[in-house]
Amino acid sequence: MSAVGGHLDWLAVAQIPLVDVRAQYAPMLDELKERIAEVLDSGRFILGPHVRAFEEEAAAYLGVKHAVGVANGTDAIVLALDALGIGEGDEVICPTFTFYATAEAIARRGASPVFADIDPQTMNLDPSDVRRRLTPKTKAIMPVHLFGRPAPLEELAELDVPLVEDAAQAFGAKGTGRTGVVSTYSFFPTKNLFAFGDGGLVATDDDELAERVRLLRFHGSKAKKEFELVGYNSRLDEIQAAVLRVFLPHLEEWNRSRREAAARYAELGLGEACELPADEPGHVYHVFAVRSAERDRIAEHLEANGIASASYYVTPLHRQPALGFLGQAELDFPETERASRENLALPMWAEIGADVQERVVATVREAVSLEAAR
């Protein structure tokens, strides 16, 4: 530990996390406590006024007619598929390079996930590969806006199959949430818009679809007296809605800060040591994922220097044991396999400090230099 001008050089010894959620909500702690206290004082914890208000505010923000709060992002997908009538014997095309919940939700409906490869530049669904996997059983395509980057919705829409947008990682990403028949979101605590626990949302312009999701989330009932559908118990709770209402007005600022941080990584010379994610206007950088053939060595050097990193989807969905029954493990997904070997997420959160990013870049560059000297 060193001292400069009488102050500890904390950055030389600090652990840098992958995401610092507390740094985002710390300035709002008093307001958050007040909102949570309101809920406690009211005694209303399920489908109360904060849930209704948040649904209205989220719908207005997303530019859709309906937003329905549910328990989590996985349930949001299941409920959307159920409301669309997708089930046994149907196929839904989705990327194999994504979180397990995407395919899990499809399988929970009794439908078959059909995996497609990704575009090497964006790591989102490759429309040309999706086209090759269409069959008469295809009832939907589920693009994932991976790491906060909008998927190629216009190209996918040309395939004339309903789009169910998995936007769990992309709340606030411009160009998302309006092309598909429905979009789904997660408020897991590391997301761009986050809760203090689980939470999810289904958004749509379709009146009938929205009403069906509302029924399904509450046991298929409007008033817990008559049950019209076999539904679920999947409701966004009142405390989480109250928290989300505090955070939503800050989302534009937070996403702008993430974009600025992504640009700063490039300005600091990170691209000289690894492949940076290509920028586009709608990208909100839920994850800042670089690529390198030396991924594991860089990650080890970062860890040795107190800097967190993460590699996503190192076992793609087509090779996950639970999905072996699909018989797709031996199919060819070359870009997915390469991305699973190369992707590395570096520290990223709203208002991450330039000094933190400088240390991250210096450490990555050092790792590459050490390898080159071997």
Side-chain angles (χ1 to χ4, degrees):
M1 185 179 300
S2 63
V4 179
H7 294 88
L8 291 178
D9 183 5
W10 73 269
L11 201 57
V13 296
Q15 300 295 309
I16 298 177
L18 188 64
V19 181
D20 191 345
V21 176
R22 290 188 63 189
Q24 290 187 236
Y25 70 72
M28 307 167 211
L29 204 51
D30 289 343
E31 183 180 3
L32 288 163
K33 289 178 179 178
E34 288 177 9
R35 288 290 181 94
I36 292 171
E38 286 177 12
V39 178
L40 297 177
D41 289 341
S42 75
R44 295 283 303 278
F45 301 109
I46 302 295
L47 297 182
H50 281 293
V51 170
R52 290 194 296 273
F54 174 69
E55 288 176 335
E56 293 175 0
E57 292 158 6
Y61 178 89
L62 294 169
V64 296
K65 291 174 65 177
H66 305 280
V68 184
V70 299
N72 54 68
T74 306
D75 280 4
I77 302 174
V78 174
L79 290 163
L81 293 174
D82 194 332
L84 288 167
I86 293 173
E88 188 172 352
D90 296 332
E91 295 178 351
V92 178
I93 299 175
C94 67
T96 180
F97 189 70
T98 185
F99 183 55
Y100 178 66
T102 303
E104 180 186 35
I106 298 168
R108 278 175 57 186
R109 286 295 307 140
S112 295
V114 174
F115 298 124
D117 209 355
I118 57 173
D119 180 286
Q121 299 301 314
T122 66
M123 293 192 283
N124 275 326
L125 267 181
D126 178 356
S128 62
D129 196 53
V130 172
R131 184 184 296 275
R132 287 193 291 270
R133 302 180 192 277
L134 292 171
T135 75
K137 294 182 179 181
T138 305
K139 294 299 186 291
I141 298 169
M142 189 177 296
V144 178
H145 303 303
L146 196 72
F147 301 154
R149 178 195 297 277
L153 296 175
E154 291 185 5
E155 294 177 67
L156 291 169
E158 292 174 359
L159 301 177
D160 201 27
V161 176
L163 300 184
V164 177
E165 298 181 43
D166 181 347
Q169 302 181 11
F171 202 104
K174 299 299 183 269
T176 64
R178 297 301 305 276
T179 303
V181 294
V182 63
S183 55
T184 65
Y185 301 87
S186 167
F187 302 126
F188 187 79
T190 60
K191 296 295 192 289
N192 292 42
L193 179 61
F194 60 96
F196 284 173
D198 279 317
L201 193 79
V202 178
T204 183
D205 282 323
D206 188 312
D207 297 340
E208 293 184 7
L209 184 64
E211 181 59 23
R212 190 172 175 86
V213 171
R214 290 190 184 98
L215 284 172
L216 286 168
R217 74 172 174 180
F218 189 49
H219 302 289
S221 174
K222 292 178 182 176
K224 208 164 67 171
K225 294 180 180 179
E226 293 185 357
F227 299 87
E228 303 172 41
L229 301 170
V230 176
Y232 308 80
N233 182 9
S234 181
R235 300 165 297 205
L236 178 66
D237 76 65
E238 189 74 354
I239 287 178
Q240 301 304 343
V243 169
L244 288 163
R245 292 188 68 202
V246 174
F247 290 155
L248 183 58
H250 298 274
L251 183 62
E252 285 292 306
E253 176 187 349
W254 285 347
N255 283 344
R256 182 170 55 252
S257 176
R258 286 173 179 267
R259 288 186 50 78
E260 290 171 355
R264 189 180 303 121
Y265 268 132
E267 293 165 1
L268 290 170
L270 183 61
E272 298 171 14
C274 54
E275 180 183 341
L276 303 186
D279 187 42
E280 59 186 78
H283 201 333
V284 292
Y285 293 98
H286 165 60
V287 168
F288 187 83
V290 302
R291 297 181 65 157
S292 173
E294 300 297 329
R295 188 265 309 277
D296 294 342
R297 192 177 304 278
I298 293 172
E300 290 173 4
H301 193 65
L302 287 167
E303 182 179 11
N305 284 272
I307 300 172
S309 65
S311 296
Y312 287 87
Y313 322 132
V314 293
T315 302
L317 296 187
H318 66 280
R319 292 197 281 107
Q320 288 291 344
L323 300 175
F325 71 95
L326 297 171
Q328 299 181 51
E330 303 304 319
L331 297 183
D332 191 25
F333 303 99
E335 294 302 336
T336 289
E337 296 289 1
R338 188 164 71 90
S340 72
R341 295 190 302 268
E342 294 183 353
N343 85 88
L344 182 67
L346 300 179
M348 170 62 76
W349 60 87
E351 300 179 10
I352 184 174
D355 51 355
V356 172
Q357 290 188 269
E358 288 170 3
R359 181 179 164 192
V360 172
V361 172
T363 306
V364 172
R365 288 168 63 97
E366 183 180 52
V368 173
S369 298
L370 288 171
E371 174 59 18
R374 287 178 182 270

